[in-house]
Each structure stands twice: as C-alpha cells, then as structure tokens.
C-alpha cells in the first residue's frame, strides 16, 4: 500500500500561482511514476502532469508552459508549480502514483481560480 497526502490547494485570482505538494508513505520502494490529475464537476478525471523516477515529465497540452512538475525521490514527494492560473484550471487535484501493478490516489485538494 502507498499513502499519498496532498497539500497546497486554495483560492487564487486568475493570473496567480499556487504550488501543490504530495508526500508518499507506506510501501514506497519501486514507485515508478508520480503525478497529478484533476477533475472538475461533471467532467472526467484528466491527466495534468506525470513524472518518472528518472525525471522525464509529460504534461497535458492545456498546462504546458504554465505548470511544472518536480519530484524528490529521496523525500518521496512530488510537487506541481502552477503559474498563470486560469478559471478553467478550477478543479479538485489528485496526487497519483503507480507502483506495479497498482495505481494509488490521494484524497484530493481543491484549487479554485476566480476571474
């Protein structure tokens, strides 16, 4: 089992910044990928950004150039720096990790961007 705990959500005006953090605990050895997904009301959960243990990252087109994902393997943490936030970024953001053969999810943190 892997436990994921997010922090850092909140309310921000359009154009502002927020930083999300996620700490992993439990059976954390051999965690492959970590990342962030988000889900807005009435919509499907979607990938925001993922990062492999070696540091390679992938982003959703909608956040490229605005969001940056980073990972500290020694501390078992993953962070998402979100800049130039837009109202359409408003969602619950979920930390995610993959440790073969299971996906693990955090409880989610609300990000609200006001126009």
């Amino acid at each position: 089992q892997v436990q994921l705990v997010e922090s850092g959500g909140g309310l921000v005006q359009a154009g502002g910044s927020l930083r999300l953090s996620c700490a992993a605990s439990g059976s954390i050895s051999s965690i492959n990928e970590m990342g962030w997904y988000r889900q807005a009301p009435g919509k499907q959960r979607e990938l925001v950004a993922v990062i492999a243990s070696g540091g390679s990252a992938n982003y959703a087109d909608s956040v490229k150039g605005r969001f940056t994902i980073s990972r500290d393997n020694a501390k078992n943490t993953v962070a998402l720096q979100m800049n130039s936030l837009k109202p359409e970024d408003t969602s619950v953001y979920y930390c995610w990790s993959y440790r073969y053969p299971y996906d693990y999810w955090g409880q989610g943190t609300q990000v609200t961007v006001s126009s």
Side-chain angles (χ1 to χ4, degrees):
Q1 288 285 340
V2 174
Q3 292 80 44
L4 302 172
V5 178
E6 302 107 333
S7 61
L11 173 64
V12 64
Q13 288 188 332
S17 298
L18 280 175
R19 182 178 178 85
L20 305 182
S21 297
C22 174
S25 61
S27 300
I28 55 178
S29 63
S30 301
I31 288 179
N32 304 109
E33 290 189 306
M34 298 186 74
W36 296 90
Y37 284 70
R38 66 187 181 186
Q39 186 168 19
K43 295 187 177 182
Q44 289 190 330
R45 191 170 296 188
E46 63 176 3
L47 181 148
V48 177
V50 294
I51 184 167
S53 56
S56 60
N58 287 295
Y59 297 88
D61 287 343
S62 60
V63 307
K64 282 181 180 177
R66 300 188 297 122
F67 292 10
T68 302
I69 190 170
S70 60
R71 178 172 176 173
D72 186 330
N73 291 326
K75 296 182 178 179
N76 302 303
T77 58
V78 62
L80 185 69
Q81 178 65 42
M82 305 185 293
N83 298 328
S84 302
L85 282 160
K86 304 175 181 180
E88 51 263 43
D89 294 317
T90 295
S91 281
V92 176
Y93 284 70
Y94 295 91
C95 183
W96 164 85
S97 71
Y98 176 72
R99 180 178 182 273
Y100 180 85
Y102 301 111
D103 293 290
Y104 296 92
W105 297 92
Q107 80 284 358
T109 185
Q110 177 69 45
V111 171
T112 302
V113 184
S114 62
S115 57

